[in-house]
Amino acid sequence: MKKWWMEKIGYQIYPKSFYDSNNDGIGDINGIKQKLHYLNNLGIDLIWICPFYDSPMDDNGYDVRDFFNVAREFGTVNDFKELLKEAKKYDIKIILDLVLNHTSDEHKWFIESKSSSNNSKRDYYIWKDGKIVDGKELPPTNWGSFFGGSAWKKDSITNMYYMKIFSDKMPDLNWSNKELRLEMMSVAKWWLDLGIDGFRIDAVSHLDRAPFEDSRLGSGIVLDWNKFSNLPKVHEYLKEMNKEVFSKYDALTVGEVGGAASIDSALQYSGFNSKELSMVFNFDHNWCNNLNEINDYKDLRTNVIDLKHVFNKWQEAFKTEGWLPLNWLNHDQPRLMSQYGDQKFFKESAKMLATSLYLMRGTPFIYQGEEIGMTNYPFEKFEDFKDISSINYYKELKDISDTEKIFRVSKSSRDNARTPIQWDNSKYAGFSKVEPWININPNYHDINVLNNLEDSDSIFNHYKQIIKLRKTNNTLIYGTYKQLDLMNEKIYIYERESNNSLFLVINSFSNKDEEYDLENYYIDDVLLSNYKTTSFEKKILQLKPYESIVLKVRRKWWEKVEYYYMYQVFQVIMELELLVLKHIDLSIF
C-alpha cells in the first residue's frame, strides 16, 4: 500500500514563533509565506501549521473561539489563501491542526450552552451537578486536569460544572451529541474545500468519557488518564469522520494519542484497515532519560536501551499493518538537543540524532529550529514562563525554593520549544524588529539559520543530506526495518532493505570511541556520515563520539549460502557423471 504522504518530508510550524512579517512581535501567516523558500531549500514538501484560528490565546490558539476565522495576530483568511497558493509553487502540501476535544469558553456555542440548562447548545458540552460530601459541595468527580487542579469548573449561571481536561477556558465538547459531531465535520470540510491537504488532530484520544465515577487511583484530585483517554467510542467517532469527510478528500490525518495509547489501540486508530486515521503520534520515545530525577543538567543521561526498545516496539508492530510519523519533538516537548544531545559534541550528536530517526520507516516531521540545533531556554525567573501549564505547575509547587521551582518547571516546560526561530545574529535573532511575545534564547548569536546556511558542515546541511538520501532511495521509504544488536548500550543500528538493496544505519550514542564488527557484510559505499573520515580496520568499524554512518552493503552470509548451494549442485553433477561413466562402455569411442 502506497499513499502520497509516505514519501513526504514534514515540518511542524508553531506560527507564533516562526517569523514575524509585520513587526508586532508575533509570528504570522505571511511570515510563513516569506520563508517557504527556506523550507524548500531544506527539502520540506509537507508542513503542519499549529492553530491560527480566532482565539483569546489562553493556550496559544488551541482554545478556538471561531473555527472559520483567523486570529488577527496571525493575519486573515485571505492571507492563508495566499500562503496556499504560494506553497503550491514549491509543491509543498499543508495540513492544519484540527481541535476536536474542546473550544474556547468564548466560542459562541459555549456562550449559548452556559446561558441556561435548556438551551439548544447545552448538550454540546459536558455539564454535571456537583456532589455533596459531608455537607460540602465538590465537583462531580475527583478527576484531575492535565493543566493542574480539577477537570471540572463551576459556572455561576446555572450552578453546574462543565468538564475541561485542559484549562478552565477550554470546555470539553460532548462527542456523544450527533449535532455536535456534524458541526465538527462541517469545520473539517470547510478547510479541506479551501485547499488544505489534511489535519494533525489535536488530543484525538480524548473524545470519549468513562462513566462519571470517582477514580480509585488516589485521594483528592487524581489525574487518571483512563477516565478520558483511548476509550472505545473514540473509534466510532473517527470512523464516522473518516467516512463522511477524510476519505472523500484523500486527506492526510495524523492523530495525537500521547503516551498512554497501547500498540493495539494505535493500530485501531491508524492501521491500514482501520478506516480512521493515516497515522498517530506517540510520545513514548520522548522521555527515555533521567530528566525527572536530576537536579543538574550535567547529570542527564539517555537510556539508549529504552530508546531502542521503544523504536523497535513501534516499528515492528506497524511493519505491515500501518505507517508511523517520525518526530523527535513537537511544540509540547523540550528541545531535542537539551533532551538527548551532548553540548561537548554539539554538531556530532545533533547530526547523529537526525540520522538515527529520519531514516527509519515512516514520514519525518522535523520541528522548527531542530534543523539548526536550537536548545531549551535558560529560565531564570517566574516571569520567563508564558505557557499556562508551566505557570500552573509552578504555582502548585510548595516547600521548595524559588530557584528549585524554576529548575523543576523548566525541565519540561512547553515554552522551551516555543521560543522564536533564531534566523540570524541581529537583534531579536532576525525573528522580528521589535521585542517578541516570548524571550529569545540568548545563544542565538551562535545558533542561528544564517550561520548554518554559511557552514557546509552545519547541522542544517546534514538534515538536507538525510532528506536527499531518503528522496533518492525508495528502500529508505518503503523498505523493511530490522533493528540489530538490541542490547548494545552504546550503538543503535538497523537495516533498511528492499529487493536487492540493503542499507545499514549505524549510530553511536557514546561520547567515547566505540567499535562495531561488520564482518557479516560487504561494504559497497559510504552514503552519509557526520564525520569527514570513517575508519575500518579488518571489518571493524571504528566509531568516533556520536558518529553516525549510512552504508550500502551486501550480506556475506548470502554469498556463503550461494556458494554452498553451487558447491552442492557441482557435487551432484559430478556424482551423476561418475554414475553415467560406470554404465557406459567407453571403448566404443
Side-chain angles (χ1 to χ4, degrees), residues 94-131:
I94 294 178
I95 65 173
L96 303 182
D97 255 294
L98 182 61
V99 185
L100 298 183
N101 179 74
H102 49 264
T103 67
S104 164
D105 64 347
E106 296 181 28
H107 194 288
K108 62 182 181 181
W109 298 341
F110 189 73
I111 292 171
E112 285 191 53
S113 182
K114 72 176 184 176
S115 65
S116 70
S117 57
N118 58 4
N119 184 273
S120 61
K121 297 287 192 295
R122 183 67 169 184
D123 199 40
Y124 275 28
Y125 298 85
I126 301 169
W127 292 94
K128 297 289 177 186
D129 288 313
K131 61 184 179 184

Side-chain angles (χ1 to χ4, degrees), residues 339-502:
Q339 187 81 322
Y340 290 133
D342 188 321
Q343 307 311 302
K344 292 180 181 177
F345 295 92
F346 194 79
K347 274 189 185 180
E348 294 83 358
S349 61
K351 293 176 182 181
M352 180 278 293
L353 289 166
T355 304
S356 68
L357 183 70
Y358 295 128
L359 293 179
M360 291 163 62
R361 182 177 178 272
T363 299
F365 279 88
I366 298 161
Y367 182 72
Q368 63 178 46
E370 176 194 330
E371 74 279 11
I372 61 169
M374 283 182 63
T375 63
N376 285 355
Y377 183 83
F379 296 94
E380 294 180 347
K381 56 186 186 297
F382 171 71
E383 290 73 25
D384 290 339
F385 296 109
K386 303 298 181 186
D387 172 44
I388 185 170
S389 64
S390 297
I391 291 168
N392 288 348
Y393 180 31
Y394 179 94
K395 290 177 178 178
E396 285 179 357
L397 293 172
K398 308 293 182 187
D399 303 323
I400 58 174
S401 70
D402 191 60
T403 301
E404 289 176 289
K405 288 181 182 179
I406 296 292
F407 179 74
R408 194 173 296 185
V409 175
S410 70
K411 288 192 293 184
S412 58
S413 174
R414 302 192 303 176
D415 284 325
N416 285 306
R418 300 177 184 188
T419 59
I421 285 204
Q422 296 153 208
W423 292 101
D424 57 39
N425 58 11
S426 65
K427 192 174 184 181
Y428 305 127
F431 165 75
S432 178
K433 288 185 170 59
V434 301
E435 187 174 350
W437 70 277
I438 190 173
N439 292 341
I440 299 276
N441 194 313
N443 64 14
Y444 75 89
H445 293 284
D446 299 313
I447 299 174
N448 61 63
V449 170
L450 183 61
N451 286 352
N452 269 259
L453 292 176
E454 293 176 344
D455 176 10
S456 61
D457 190 41
S458 68
I459 298 168
F460 174 92
N461 279 308
H462 189 79
Y463 270 75
K464 198 171 173 179
Q465 289 179 66
I466 291 170
I467 292 168
K468 183 179 179 182
L469 192 59
R470 278 189 70 99
K471 288 188 172 184
T472 53
N473 291 279
N474 265 358
T475 298
L476 293 172
I477 300 172
Y478 297 112
T480 59
Y481 164 97
K482 181 182 179 183
Q483 191 177 143
L484 308 177
D485 208 354
L486 267 70
M487 298 313 294
N488 190 317
E489 296 180 354
K490 305 292 185 181
I491 300 170
Y492 172 40
I493 179 169
Y494 57 91
E495 295 176 346
R496 298 298 312 277
E497 183 175 17
S498 66
N499 300 324
N500 295 319
S501 185
L502 177 62

Side-chain angles (χ1 to χ4, degrees), residues 287-314:
W287 310 102
C288 294
N289 58 22
N290 60 341
L291 182 70
N292 292 328
E293 303 163 15
I294 63 170
N295 295 311
D296 193 314
Y297 278 114
K298 67 178 175 49
D299 298 322
L300 188 63
R301 299 288 182 271
T302 299
N303 189 323
V304 180
I305 297 291
D306 279 2
L307 189 63
K308 289 165 61 173
H309 172 73
V310 169
F311 285 154
N312 201 51
K313 177 180 73 171
W314 285 90

